[in-house]
Amino acid sequence: MIVRDLHDPTYVRTVCGPTWTSRRLLLAHDGMGFSLHDTIIHAGSETRMHYKHHLESVYCISGEGEIEELDNGRVHQIRPGVVYALDRHDRHVLRAHSELRLVCTFNPPLTGHETHGPDGAYPPAVVVAGTEVGR
Ligand code: 9YT
């Protein structure tokens, strides 16, 4: 069994982007088949993303914002209790009206240090003999 505490820096990897702070609780090396993050999105920010190599689901536990699907212009309100799943590698922009706290999963799991490239994606996982390897 794996037990992690968000407040224990020994195991929780914190990675920052320009508009977000991601506390990565479970990663590829944990062998769960997904990674699990507790992510803070800064109030007033806008983040354009396109996870070409991953499927992400995002569950809001606090804050208010909106997500726009860039392929069709649809806008969805984000508030506690709302989940969105990027099941089609959807291009999107996330706007945080207030600080958002989001629980995120990635499949395949992140290996640890990923941040967005200029295309809004994280790099693909490197698979060696069935195991994702950090880059
Ligand atoms: C909602 C979202 O995708 N934010 C970017 C950070 C990402 N969730 C992460 O790495 O935790």
Side-chain angles (χ1 to χ4, degrees), residues 20 22 24 37 39 41 49 51 56 58 84 94 102 104 106 116 122:
W20 49 268
S22 174
R24 297 178 173 165
H37 318 173
T39 300
I41 309 288
M49 291 168 275
Y51 291 123
E56 186 194 25
V58 176
Y84 64 85
L94 179 64
L102 307 172
C104 312
F106 278 80
H116 297 129
Y122 290 152

Side-chain angles (χ1 to χ4, degrees), residues 15-24 37-49 51 56-67 78 84 92-104 106 116 122:
V15 176
C16 297
T19 58
W20 49 268
T21 300
S22 174
R23 286 82 58 92
R24 297 178 173 165
H37 318 173
D38 183 320
T39 300
I40 302 293
I41 309 288
H42 305 162
S45 69
E46 184 170 300
T47 313
R48 187 175 284 251
M49 291 168 275
Y51 291 123
E56 186 194 25
S57 63
V58 176
Y59 182 64
C60 178
I61 56 173
S62 70
E64 305 281 337
E66 65 180 35
I67 182 171
I78 304 295
Y84 64 85
H92 62 289
V93 58
L94 179 64
R95 300 186 184 97
H97 302 325
S98 61
E99 181 177 279
L100 288 168
R101 187 171 175 198
L102 307 172
V103 177
C104 312
F106 278 80
H116 297 129
Y122 290 152

Side-chain angles (χ1 to χ4, degrees), residues 4-121:
R4 298 267 159 80
D5 181 337
L6 180 65
H7 306 102
D8 179 356
T10 314
Y11 294 106
V12 178
R13 181 154 308 158
T14 298
V15 176
C16 297
T19 58
W20 49 268
T21 300
S22 174
R23 286 82 58 92
R24 297 178 173 165
L25 292 152
L26 295 171
L27 286 166
H29 66 260
D30 292 310
M32 295 296 290
F34 60 90
S35 57
L36 178 71
H37 318 173
D38 183 320
T39 300
I40 302 293
I41 309 288
H42 305 162
S45 69
E46 184 170 300
T47 313
R48 187 175 284 251
M49 291 168 275
H50 184 201
Y51 291 123
K52 292 183 272 191
H53 311 295
H54 298 84
L55 299 171
E56 186 194 25
S57 63
V58 176
Y59 182 64
C60 178
I61 56 173
S62 70
E64 305 281 337
E66 65 180 35
I67 182 171
E68 179 177 349
E69 300 183 57
L70 290 174
D71 288 337
N72 57 35
R74 282 189 205 116
V75 176
H76 311 273
Q77 298 308 307
I78 304 295
R79 57 182 174 276
V82 172
V83 64
Y84 64 85
L86 303 167
D87 61 330
R88 297 174 184 230
H89 304 283
D90 315 71
R91 295 188 314 120
H92 62 289
V93 58
L94 179 64
R95 300 186 184 97
H97 302 325
S98 61
E99 181 177 279
L100 288 168
R101 187 171 175 198
L102 307 172
V103 177
C104 312
T105 63
F106 278 80
N107 168 23
L110 298 198
T111 55
H113 295 287
E114 290 92 337
T115 57
H116 297 129
D119 56 354

